[in-house]
Amino acid sequence: MSYRRTKRDRVLVVDDDASLAEMLTIVLEGEGLTAAVCRSGDRVMAAFTQFKPDVVLLDLMLPGLDGMSVCRQIRATSAVPIIMLTAKSDTPDVVAGLEAGADDYITKPFKNTELVARIRARLRRSDQLAEPLEFGDIVLDPAGHTVTRKGEPLELTPLEFDLLACLLGDPSQVFTRETLLQKVWGYHHPGDTKLVNVHMTRLRSKIEDDAENPEIIRTVRGVGYQAITPVP
Amino acid sequence: MPSVARIWRRSIQARVVTSTIVLSALVVALTGWALLRDVASGLAEDRSTAAISEARSGFDYAQTQLDASVETEPTTQSQTLTQMVDSLTRSRGAQRTYELVLEGPLVTADGEVPIRSSAAIAAGSLPADLTDAVRSGPGTFWRYSDLGLLGGSDAEPSVVVGSQLRAPDSGDTYALFYLFSLEDQQETLDLVRRALLLGGLAMVLMVGGVAWLVSRQVLDPVRLARRIAERYASGNLEQRMHVSGEDDIARLSTSFNQMAASLQSQIRRLENLSRLQQRFVSDVSHELRTPLTTVQMASEVLYSSREQFDPQTARSAELLKRELDRFEALLSDLLDLSRFDAGAAQLELDTIDFSQVARLAAEDALVAREGITVRLLGVEEPAIVEADIRRIDRIVRNLMANAAKYSGSDVIEIEVAQNAESASIAVRDFGVGLSGDENLRVFDRFWRADPARTQGGTGLGLAISREDAALHGGTLQAWGRPGEGSEFILTIPKPQGSAKNPPLASVYA
């Protein structure tokens, strides 16, 4: 909500099912968003560059190029929030999608309100930080949404930035996965820990020197995660 | 000793070799004993025949001597007798194989019977019954005896032959005994016994060795078959036995291989079926979910603008939405069940606290909507298990929803308990209860206590809950009494524990 927008937010709907795509457009337009539809995996990048969406709604089963590959392609050039649409709630697919770079996922069938809530949660920039935060050799700047470590800029997605900001914001607290889901993803979905686990792995691979022996965020077994207070 | 018993129990070879050795030792011992007895009696018989004939000629010579002697004077008679014994002993010179004993005259005034002998014969060397027989009358008698020489070491086996002699003048009677040693025969016998013992022992050992070799020949393929069967059982379905020749072992191998191939093809077929089933479920899932999503979204759009419709259309929009929700619940339940049936359901284990689960369930919005009071018992202590939180949550909410919707009870009790093996959550209501075998039938798919009441729910909730519990290695059981209430107890084993002894017993059990 701290993010000020001058125009309507744009959602790129990537789905091969014409009816569903049209229905999604109707619902999103009804919510005051601008939507564009792309029906094939191999045309996503063209549509993406042209449309410049603020959020991508991506079906995992696509003709041309599958959802995972599309996800990776987008991530290679952009940190735009990606929400997967999946018919399979089975873990392997979801985890694979999250590992490919998706921020969140929603399982078909879903309620309109739920869909809109997820999209709005991704559009809304979190207000975890008001001031720039220095934490050991890491510097977070909430104004520019930039992170540097030892002066080197780190390429974090907005979600990863929020996750890091949330943890570093209060190093005294151990954050449970439930709390992180609520604070960073913006909704309560009991037990959906894989969302947190996968993103924590991605975040660590970007900020830690050795993801196996983390120096910035530690795992508190059976509880959650906590920032490691740097030794001055 | 337990290891010996263990080897005996586990090794056919040990049993075969041992019993072969024991049995052949028995046979050898029996044969040896019979053989030895035959040899001994043969040797003794030969010797005694020779001894008796030699003794007879001695007796004749002695009688002749006595007949020729006319002396009646005891002192000279005594000399004559001594000479006679000497001459009898001397007659064979160095090759003498016997000793002589002369008793007599047998009837004397003082009852003492003077004894002359060619060697120092121990008292009692002569068998008493033989002495009696000889004294009682004429004739030649013989016995086997043990000859003990005075100063000699041991008694030797011997043949004693005796006969009565009569002095014609004085009418005195004498008893003359020949003692033949059986020492040579005994030595031969000892030799034979030693040879038999050694031979028998060697034979028993060799038979044991043969038994070991033969049993190994038979058992080696059996052991090989066992190893291959074990590997097969542990999932290596490509394992086959090597077939060579046409003997019984080869036929066993062939049969084993046929069995293995048939099992393998069956397993492959079932695996394929299961894979197909899973694929089908997954495809149906995707294919149905996409149009359902569209329809549901459309119905929600209609539903949210129903106030602009005329009453019939508005009501239609409401019904459309409600039944689509039900359809969605049914589809999702059916897919869950088919995932269980296909064995494709997977657990996402996490450390969870039953007390926490119970506390959260008690705050369920549904319960509040129905105006039901929830009592929590035993939730002060954490009850930690490794479980899939979403499935456990689903079970507990399902039980709560059942109690809230169908029991008519206005109180629900949730109790948490644990022991070393497992943890349980009980959900109790105090409503209509369960009658007859309903406590078993509640878990049937699409079963409803009252067929008339079909509103809401899919009829699959409890069936799924029970599958969810079973997936954890746990149990979900129901109890109840008509008009009093019902109780469902979910028990999930702790790591390395089992759900066999739940920490909670039903109040209706």
Side-chain angles (χ1 to χ4, degrees):
Chain A
M1 265 168 269
S2 63
Y3 202 84
R4 200 171 50 83
R5 293 205 146 261
T6 51
K7 56 179 173 52
R8 281 151 64 103
D9 287 309
R10 303 159 78 84
V11 181
L12 178 62
V13 175
V14 184
D15 201 309
D16 64 314
D17 189 279
S19 305
L20 180 59
E22 195 182 340
M23 197 64 234
L24 282 166
T25 315
I26 292 171
V27 169
L28 296 176
E29 301 275 357
E31 289 291 328
L33 300 160
T34 305
V37 173
C38 176
R39 301 265 304 277
S40 161
D42 39 19
R43 288 203 299 272
V44 173
M45 284 322 287
F48 184 79
T49 358
Q50 197 195 347
F51 186 62
K52 297 189 183 60
D54 300 300
V55 171
V56 177
L57 266 186
L58 176 65
D59 195 330
L60 280 184
M61 301 265 266
L62 283 177
L65 191 63
D66 70 278
M68 312 284 175
S69 312
V70 171
C71 210
R72 258 178 242 117
Q73 270 190 358
I74 296 175
R75 267 289 163 271
T77 60
S78 162
V80 67
I82 302 173
I83 302 174
M84 293 184 291
L85 295 180
T86 170
K88 301 178 181 178
S89 54
D90 300 6
T91 318
D93 293 297
V94 171
V95 170
L98 293 174
E99 280 170 349
D103 293 281
D104 199 356
Y105 70 96
I106 183 162
T107 312
K108 295 182 204 172
F110 43 77
K111 298 263 180 286
N112 295 355
T113 46
E114 193 191 348
L115 174 74
V116 172
R118 302 257 177 132
I119 293 174
R120 292 242 180 260
R122 288 300 104 234
L123 288 170
R124 181 170 57 227
R125 296 320 318 265
S126 82
D127 39 13
Q128 305 277 350
L129 289 179
E131 301 287 308
L133 174 73
E134 272 190 53
F135 193 88
D137 48 13
I138 292 185
V139 181
L140 282 103
D141 176 18
H145 278 98
T146 53
V147 184
T148 56
R149 184 174 184 203
K150 295 169 188 162
E152 297 283 312
L154 296 173
E155 294 286 326
L156 297 191
T157 66
L159 186 104
E160 286 159 359
F161 181 90
D162 290 350
L163 191 56
L164 187 62
C166 180
L167 284 158
L168 300 194
D170 188 357
S172 66
Q173 193 187 340
V174 180
F175 290 89
T176 66
R177 293 177 176 85
E178 307 286 329
T179 315
L180 288 173
L181 275 175
Q182 232 161 346
K183 288 201 157 209
V184 178
W185 276 265
Y187 62 94
H188 187 71
H189 192 169
D192 203 350
T193 51
K194 55 180 170 282
L195 210 52
V196 183
N197 293 348
V198 171
H199 280 98
M200 195 56 79
T201 310
R202 287 178 62 82
L203 176 62
R204 275 182 174 157
S205 73
K206 289 182 182 178
I207 61 169
E208 302 277 2
D209 290 328
D210 176 8
E212 297 293 314
N213 300 300
E215 294 168 339
I216 299 162
I217 300 165
R218 68 188 184 99
T219 308
V220 183
R221 231 186 95 75
V223 187
Y225 301 96
Q226 185 181 25
I228 302 170
T229 310
V231 184
Chain B
M1 274 346 252
S3 66
V4 174
R6 193 179 135 86
I7 289 171
W8 179 258
R9 224 176 34 249
R10 288 179 59 108
S11 165
I12 296 181
Q13 195 167 24
R15 288 207 296 272
V16 166
V17 171
T18 314
S19 49
T20 308
I21 287 179
V22 167
L23 288 175
S24 60
L26 264 174
V27 169
V28 165
L30 211 68
T31 328
W33 175 75
L35 207 64
L36 210 59
R37 208 187 52 162
D38 274 4
V39 169
S41 67
L43 281 172
E45 211 169 298
D46 279 357
R47 184 62 183 129
S48 53
T49 316
I52 290 165
S53 67
E54 191 167 354
R56 281 224 172 88
S57 65
F59 295 143
D60 292 345
Y61 170 76
Q63 191 60 54
T64 331
Q65 289 279 304
L66 273 181
D67 290 345
S69 161
V70 290
E71 304 286 346
T72 51
E73 185 63 29
T75 46
T76 47
Q77 191 180 13
S78 154
Q79 274 176 2
T80 315
L81 289 171
T82 310
Q83 279 166 11
M84 185 180 82
V85 169
D86 285 348
S87 74
L88 276 174
T89 13
R90 251 200 315 276
S91 67
R92 285 305 187 90
Q95 276 96 52
R96 181 166 59 91
T97 57
Y98 52 81
E99 303 294 343
L100 275 180
V101 175
L102 181 69
E103 290 184 352
L106 287 174
V107 185
T108 52
D110 52 6
E112 279 282 314
V113 179
I115 295 176
R116 290 171 185 78
S117 79
S118 61
I121 302 292
S125 290
L126 301 178
D129 58 338
L130 180 68
T131 330
D132 290 346
V134 172
R135 283 181 190 172
S136 61
T140 309
F141 304 91
W142 68 277
R143 293 281 185 285
Y144 291 114
S145 173
D146 287 320
L147 178 67
L149 290 177
L150 276 181
S153 51
D154 291 320
E156 289 173 11
S158 54
V159 176
V160 182
V161 188
S163 185
Q164 207 179 61
L165 303 179
R166 178 173 288 274
D169 298 335
S170 57
D172 287 341
T173 52
Y174 302 89
L176 182 62
F177 297 96
Y178 272 75
L179 291 88
F180 296 92
S181 170
L182 285 177
E183 201 177 348
D184 288 351
Q185 283 70 24
Q186 186 62 48
E187 267 173 26
T188 314
L189 207 60
D190 284 348
L191 204 70
V192 170
R193 188 184 288 135
R194 249 196 321 276
L196 275 178
L197 205 67
L198 282 174
L201 206 68
M203 191 161 140
V204 166
L205 285 179
M206 278 189 292
V207 167
V210 167
W212 183 76
L213 274 176
V214 169
S215 60
R216 227 185 73 159
Q217 222 170 14
V218 177
L219 282 174
D220 272 0
V222 173
R223 284 178 184 160
L224 190 70
R226 190 200 72 203
R227 275 200 295 277
I228 287 175
E230 280 169 358
R231 260 180 256 153
Y232 191 89
S234 63
N236 192 347
L237 301 182
E238 302 298 331
Q239 283 290 324
R240 292 292 183 273
M241 285 186 73
H242 175 67
V243 182
S244 65
E246 294 174 12
D247 57 7
D248 295 84
I249 295 298
R251 295 219 298 274
L252 169 73
S253 308
T254 313
S255 306
F256 181 91
N257 289 348
Q258 279 167 358
M259 184 188 76
S262 140
L263 275 176
Q264 187 183 17
S265 77
Q266 288 282 344
I267 291 169
R268 288 279 139 81
R269 208 168 59 84
L270 288 174
E271 277 175 356
N272 264 340
L273 269 179
S274 161
R275 239 197 317 274
L276 277 178
Q277 165 91 347
Q278 283 176 36
R279 266 274 297 284
F280 182 72
V281 167
S282 167
D283 289 352
V284 164
S285 161
H286 186 250
E287 294 305 320
L288 273 180
R289 275 164 191 257
T290 302
L292 180 62
T293 309
T294 314
V295 172
Q296 221 177 24
M297 289 176 83
S299 94
E300 273 180 46
V301 170
L302 291 178
Y303 182 79
S304 58
S305 36
R306 66 189 181 285
E307 274 146 26
Q308 300 155 28
F309 301 156
D310 62 90
Q312 276 119 337
T313 319
R315 180 62 187 149
S316 302
E318 278 172 28
L319 288 176
L320 181 66
K321 183 184 180 306
R322 197 176 79 192
E323 292 311 299
L324 270 173
D325 286 347
R326 198 170 139 209
F327 184 80
E328 188 209 325
L330 202 54
L331 176 70
S332 128
D333 281 1
L334 278 172
L335 287 172
D336 272 334
L337 273 180
S338 73
R339 231 173 262 137
F340 283 122
D341 293 347
Q346 283 181 336
L347 284 177
E348 283 175 54
L349 289 180
D350 222 326
T351 308
I352 69 163
D353 174 8
F354 268 15
S355 298
Q356 176 78 11
V357 170
R359 276 195 297 270
L360 285 176
E363 292 161 12
D364 199 300
L366 173 85
V367 178
R369 196 170 59 230
E370 306 271 336
I372 289 172
T373 320
V374 180
R375 275 207 297 264
L376 283 170
L377 300 172
V379 295
E380 301 78 22
E381 290 272 301
I384 307 293
V385 289
E386 293 277 312
D388 187 330
I389 178 69
R390 286 197 295 176
R391 291 183 194 275
I392 297 298
D393 212 56
R394 176 161 76 174
I395 297 173
V396 175
R397 278 166 206 276
N398 221 322
L399 297 178
M400 297 274 295
N402 269 331
K405 281 188 196 160
Y406 306 117
S407 75
S409 166
D410 45 13
V411 174
I412 296 176
E413 208 170 82
I414 307 179
E415 183 174 356
V416 175
Q418 61 181 322
N419 58 22
E421 293 272 292
S422 55
S424 289
I425 294 188
V427 176
R428 293 184 200 110
D429 66 62
F430 305 92
V432 292
L434 298 170
S435 58
D437 61 350
E438 281 181 356
N439 64 326
L440 300 174
R441 292 181 54 207
V442 285
F443 297 109
D444 290 352
R445 293 172 187 187
F446 297 115
W447 185 85
R448 285 167 200 279
D450 181 358
R453 286 200 298 174
T454 54
Q455 66 142 23
T458 60
L460 293 170
L462 285 175
I464 290 174
S465 293
R466 179 169 246 192
E467 297 279 3
D468 271 336
L471 198 62
H472 286 88
T475 57
L476 177 62
Q477 287 170 298
W479 286 270
R481 231 172 260 151
E484 285 183 36
S486 50
E487 174 175 35
F488 290 81
I489 298 181
L490 166 73
T491 306
I492 300 293
K494 293 187 174 178
Q496 275 99 43
S498 90
K500 272 184 197 138
N501 301 305
L504 268 180
S506 171
V507 291
Y508 301 109

